[in-house]
Amino acid sequence: MINELFDLTGKVALITGGTHGIGMAIGKVLGKAGAKICVNDISKEKLDACVDEYAKEGIDVYTLVFNVTDENDVNKGISQIEKEVGTIDILVNNAGIIKRIPILDMPVSDFKQVIDVDLVAPLIVSKRVAPGMIKKRSGKIINMCSMMSVYGRNSVSAYAAAKGGLKLLTANMTCEWAKYNIQINGIGPGYIATAQTAPIREGGHPFNDLVMTRTPAGRWGEPEDVGNAALFLASKASDFVNGHLLYVDGGILANFGYVKGENEIE
Ligand code: NAP
Ligand code: GCO
């Protein structure tokens, strides 16, 4: 049956930074597919607030505060999840930050902070979760990359360096862990309407016009667009997909650009 391909009943999923935005969209869709959803965040307030949001979808979410950049914090958190919920079958390394500062103005400490959250943290969390998957000879790891894994742009040097590194960390995890029936893939969202992009999307910001013209689909992505791609990569349907970076970008990476209004069919 086709539905069985996407049935996650009996699976335990951890989404880091899953209290809103893309992470919550992923948590909701994996929960609706039957997975037990565990969500982490660095903020207890946001964790407490997300419980009702998940409950609206009939999902009884398990929440845990830990800082994904702190190895001890992560190890304690994952041990608690394994004890109270079970071995993690699906890991979504979603937590991330961005700092939009030109290179010459960016303090090295800020650069390192972005690298820590967006690149080192997926390593830390995956290193702790993978042994359980190896023991089960089964697992899914989804690393939240970006179109900035292959593109740069003014002011996002740290973010692009991190997301570029995460693309190749995904490849290396595949080289070392695929033999244990673990599928490790990345998702590369284009421009998605979340809190992270609100500063360059709202209030008439000119970047909004750029995204609307550069994106062939002619719109910003929604968190659910990314969530749906995550369901595929978390399910049996992708059991032979590995080391892949699945872009969810409305075609922006396929498009060099076009003159507004050309070749438009009424
Ligand atoms: P968001 O709204 O900023 O959410 C990021 C989440 O990560 C928040 O819940 C945040 O918690 C959490 N987080 C940050 N640092 C953390 C830490 N040290 N420990 C634990 N949790 C931490 O971002 P989003 O737009 O939903 O994006 C989610 C992921 O997709 C990110 O990796 C982002 O880089 C990536 N992405 C986004 C887009 C886009 O257009 N939105 C495109 C491509 C890729 P707090 O809120 O409590 O800080
Ligand atoms: C930016 C945006 C992007 C998106 C995303 C695009 O400032 O350019 O925040 O970085 O978050 O990563 O794929």
Side-chain angles (χ1 to χ4, degrees):
M1 293 283 287
I2 196 72
N3 291 345
E4 288 171 5
L5 274 176
F6 298 95
D7 183 355
L8 301 181
T9 304
K11 301 291 186 183
V12 174
L14 169 63
I15 298 101
T16 64
T19 59
H20 59 274
I22 288 172
M24 176 173 271
I26 294 173
K28 284 182 176 179
V29 73
L30 299 190
K32 282 188 247 182
K36 171 62 184 174
I37 302 303
C38 306
V39 162
N40 125 280
D41 203 292
I42 198 167
S43 157
K44 185 174 184 324
E45 291 71 29
K46 290 186 181 175
L47 276 168
D48 294 344
C50 85
V51 171
D52 289 345
E53 279 303 305
Y54 278 99
K56 286 174 188 172
E57 307 286 340
I59 298 167
D60 175 20
V61 69
Y62 177 93
T63 62
L64 199 59
V65 182
F66 60 87
N67 178 346
V68 293
T69 67
D70 182 320
E71 195 168 9
N72 289 331
D73 222 11
V74 169
N75 290 342
K76 281 190 296 187
I78 303 302
S79 296
Q80 186 171 330
I81 291 172
E82 288 175 339
K83 181 181 172 195
E84 296 182 358
V85 185
T87 301
I88 293 166
D89 302 291
I90 301 162
L91 169 62
V92 183
N93 287 308
N94 169 77
I97 62 172
I98 191 168
K99 291 181 183 289
R100 299 184 182 94
I101 308 168
I103 293 170
L104 291 180
D105 300 331
M106 179 180 275
V108 172
S109 58
D110 279 16
F111 189 96
K112 286 181 175 177
Q113 185 188 0
V114 174
I115 297 291
D116 268 348
V117 179
D118 294 8
L119 177 57
V120 180
L123 170 78
I124 291 172
V125 180
S126 302
K127 260 170 74 78
R128 177 57 189 79
V129 168
M133 294 178 171
I134 290 170
K135 189 173 179 183
K136 289 181 80 168
R137 293 296 191 274
S138 170
K140 298 279 187 178
I141 297 176
I142 300 170
N143 292 323
M144 197 53 66
C145 297
S146 163
M147 61 179 274
M148 296 303 166
S149 292
V150 290
Y151 260 140
R153 84 171 184 86
N154 283 351
S155 82
V156 297
S157 61
Y159 183 84
K163 295 299 188 179
L166 188 56
K167 176 176 185 281
L168 288 178
L169 179 59
T170 300
N172 276 274
M173 287 178 181
T174 300
C175 298
E176 296 188 24
W177 298 341
K179 64 173 76 75
Y180 305 115
N181 188 34
I182 301 170
Q183 290 83 50
I184 308 101
N185 291 287
I187 292 180
Y191 283 94
I192 313 298
T194 69
Q196 189 246 49
T197 54
I200 58 169
R201 174 167 36 85
E202 296 174 347
H205 195 292
F207 201 84
N208 176 58
D209 296 334
L210 174 65
V211 171
M212 293 299 283
T213 50
R214 282 279 281 110
T215 306
R219 67 175 175 90
W220 284 76
E222 294 299 329
E224 292 70 23
D225 292 318
V226 183
N228 295 336
L231 174 60
F232 166 66
L233 291 177
S235 73
K236 288 189 279 288
S238 61
D239 278 358
F240 201 56
V241 178
N242 227 327
H244 183 67
L245 176 39
L246 176 58
Y247 292 104
V248 183
D249 67 357
I252 197 170
L253 282 180
N255 179 30
F256 169 70
Y258 64 94
V259 174
K260 192 167 174 57
E262 71 181 351
N263 300 335
E264 287 190 0
I265 298 167
E266 291 304 322

